[in-house]
Amino acid sequence: MNLFTVFILSLFLTIALIPVLKAMAFRINLVDVPDQRKVHVMPMPRSGGICMALGAIVPVFLWVPMNNLVWAVHIGCALIVVFGVVDDVKNLRYIQKFFVQGVGACVVIFYGGIRIESLGNLVPAGFELPFIVSVAITLFFIVGVTNAITLSDGLDGLAGGISMLSFVTIGFFAYRCEHMTIAIMSIAVVGAILGVLRYNTHPAVVFMGDAGSQMLGFLCVVFTLILTQSNTPYSQITPLFLIGFPILDTLTVMVERVSKGGSPFKADKNHFHHKLLKLGLYHSESVFVIYLLQALFLCFAFVLRFYSNWSNLIVFIILALIIIILFEIARRTQFKFRNGGGEMLGSKSMLAAFAGDRLSIRILFACLKWGLAIGFVFQCFIPQDIPPYMSYGAVFFIVLILAAKRFNLQIKKDVMRIALYCTIPMVLYFSTMGASSWMTGRLILANNAVFLSLILFVILTLNMTKRQKGFKLNPLDFLVFIVIIIFPNLPDIHLENPLIKLVIAKILILFFSYDVLLGELRKEDTFLDKSLLAAFFVIAVKGFI
């Protein structure tokens, strides 16, 4: 089964369901009302979790052979989602939540046969956990992690992004040990999460609710247990890294609550994301930092997956302590990332002075605009051969762009964006994989240097522009970067041609560069139209002659 097909189906199915169930959410009171502990100020629909569940389950039913394990996971997950929706509407007490989560855990334990049976070299050789102890530990771990993901869902896109990184890693681990059932199910969840994040990234228009966050926590812990407690080479401590940050956040918050004489289950504003906001970071910046921390845990999961349990446990404890100590130091020293005026510390620099110079901004933007236009046209000249279908597509887009000039700016931008997204990957693939003979080694190096310079111009433009509207980086871009750039470069990933990695990097650079340019585009500016028409003209001519 092609995992990409699974991903695409779950992604677009989830995206298609969002608008429908979003409208329905307000009718059935499936909304999140703001209060003193929450950071949003308007009632938000909590229908994202239902969309995610439906989007993820369809590919599984289509392509995964059904057995007791798969049925157990689906039954347990269905219980979590259904009562999660009830919780989103009626706000159940935590005892009621624990009971339902416990029932779901018992389904996968007794019907699916998923239990923590081995602790590896953490215990003496030959020692086996008694059945009752094994069931109790598994039950506690599943319920605990299910709630850990839920508790981390405090900012737009936070729980979804953390979980997406975890499921991508789980899918990779499952694929490497040929456990295709978990690989397909994990990638289906990744597609569903990405579909919801399209609407859940700050500023969110849809929340996944407890139904979504509990489902992600439940599936995440169950998949990690299947991978590490079955016949696989991975350490039994690997789940701590795969679910790293939510586990650390939950344990830290509960210890703080108990140390102050309160209930460990009473909600407060002492989660790490609350602390990052208090340190002066904005909403999206706080989410981005936590994504980085979760990515760090996952890097250790990858590096240490074949090491002993003791090595994994010691590294996890050290990493957790370092994070806790850094936050405590920041609290005691009253460190702030921003001053009272809302400026980042150290922003009074040469860069800030340069940004204040309107002439400098114009020069910088001109470099980006002309560099991108000339660079893309040059890429169209490089391929030795261009397939006829690309030439026909180029003619089609020429007509489309000329027709779009009659409409408003937004339609014009949408047409150009579609044309670019369809054309850039093919142009860069053929220019990199099938370059003409006149492209010498020095020209190739110079061409690659142009892409590096585009990165610099894009970063400077984003930091110096004074416009409030336009392209803005958000944490979802970081997730895409991780999935597309990092994973193809892992040591165990062997692409048929290493140049594919270079093609992927170039595609991302041009996508982001053109998005920034489109965001800065004014109605009267016809430069981008003309540069794209020139590029498509080159493609058409090269393909037909």
Side-chain angles (χ1 to χ4, degrees), residues 88 166 322:
D88 287 330
S166 296
I322 290 173

Side-chain angles (χ1 to χ4, degrees), residues 85-114:
V85 172
V86 174
D87 182 28
D88 287 330
V89 175
K90 296 186 176 181
N91 291 321
L92 301 176
R93 293 179 296 171
Y94 66 86
I95 293 295
Q96 295 171 312
K97 297 180 186 180
F98 286 166
F99 176 77
V100 175
Q101 293 163 3
V103 173
C106 287
V107 172
V108 298
I109 291 172
F110 294 107
Y111 185 49
I114 303 169

Side-chain angles (χ1 to χ4, degrees), residues 433-452:
M433 308 297 291
S436 299
S437 57
W438 54 265
M439 278 294 289
T440 62
R442 290 184 178 181
L443 276 177
I444 293 175
L445 288 176
N447 186 50
N448 293 338
V450 169
F451 282 89
L452 293 176

Side-chain angles (χ1 to χ4, degrees), residues 191-264:
I193 294 174
L194 191 59
V196 169
L197 285 178
R198 169 66 180 80
Y199 300 90
N200 187 236
T201 303
H202 184 71
V205 295
V206 169
F207 286 174
M208 66 174 65
D210 280 357
S213 58
Q214 288 183 39
M215 181 194 82
L216 294 180
F218 179 80
L219 291 178
C220 193
V221 65
V222 169
F223 290 173
T224 58
L225 289 179
I226 294 172
L227 281 182
T228 57
Q229 291 295 322
S230 57
N231 188 24
T232 63
Y234 303 130
S235 165
Q236 287 84 8
I237 303 299
T238 299
L240 293 182
F241 288 106
L242 293 174
I243 320 168
F245 190 83
I247 291 177
L248 173 62
D249 182 46
T250 300
L251 291 177
T252 304
V253 167
M254 288 192 169
V255 169
E256 288 183 6
R257 292 171 182 171
V258 172
S259 65
K260 295 176 182 178
S263 168

